[in-house]
Amino acid sequence: MRIFALLLVALPSLWGEIVWTQEMRKSGLRDPFELALQYTAYEKTLELANGGDADAKYKMGEYYEQGFATDINIEKAARWYQSAAEVGHIEGAKKIGRMYEEGVGVAKDSYSAFKWYKVAADKGDTAAMSMLGDLLLFGAMQVRDYKEALRWYELAAKAENPNAIRNMGTMYATGRGVTKNSKKALELYLKAAEMGDAKAQYNLGVSHLKGWGVEIDVAQGLRWLVRASEGGHADAKCILANRYAAGDGVERDIKMATRLADEGNKLGGLFCKEVWMAFKLYEVTP
């Protein structure tokens, strides 16, 4: 009974503190208690990182990248990721490789990107093998090597990496580093698409719509584009938006077209902006 009475006294002030914390968070201010916990974790991680712990070094990179217990500092994040990579951390090697490839937090440098991707790939990481293949196939001219790209993709594909399988399809579709073979390309696209790869689903959809290496099949093409759109593929949304706007292969649906064009435009779809702007011009609303 006495405990119950104490709870009755304590609950109003406790509830007030909970509401205060929620209101403070809504206003953008951070909870001091949460910050103290973060700072304690930061200090402990920093100590381990300075002692050579690879996981701690990688975690410090994440802290600086995300602004955990510190201000966001991408340059410092890159230094910690590279420090982790230098002591054999696979995720650190992939992360700093991507940063060198894109010029984020470091000067853009394809050779350094290649170096760090290869560190992770040589340790058996299939994602790194596929990333290395991407760099060799699509990267800066000075590092392009189609034969080597195919070798890395084939290694990653053995581990069922959908990105590698899809891009092998692109190599066969375009004849880069291999004899052009549309049938082989479609087989690889289909395999990656059935694994849920939205880009492969998009490639299949467009191939069926255009008759690239296969008989034109609008219904099949649209089915694959719908799956790609559901997987977040911007250009799939844009093509479907055009189709719904014109009633081409589907029942005309301006609301659906507008929604898809808006989603695709927000995702940076190449074909969406004109459709979206046209809807805005004529004041079509979902």
Side-chain angles (χ1 to χ4, degrees), residues 162-163 165-167 169-170 185-208 221 224-225 227-228 233:
N163 181 78
I165 294 167
R166 184 219 324 130
N167 282 334
T170 297
L186 288 170
E187 288 173 356
L188 290 164
Y189 286 155
L190 179 60
K191 183 175 181 179
E194 289 176 339
M195 295 168 72
D197 186 89
K199 291 181 181 179
Q201 291 165 354
Y202 172 81
N203 289 349
L204 267 183
V206 172
S207 295
H208 282 290
W224 281 114
L225 286 178
R227 288 183 64 177
H233 196 286

Side-chain angles (χ1 to χ4, degrees), residues 202-233:
Y202 172 81
N203 289 349
L204 267 183
V206 172
S207 295
H208 282 290
L209 290 180
K210 300 288 187 181
W212 291 343
V214 68
E215 291 293 323
I216 290 177
D217 185 336
V218 173
Q220 182 79 328
L222 292 176
R223 278 196 292 272
W224 281 114
L225 286 178
V226 167
R227 288 183 64 177
S229 172
E230 290 170 349
H233 196 286

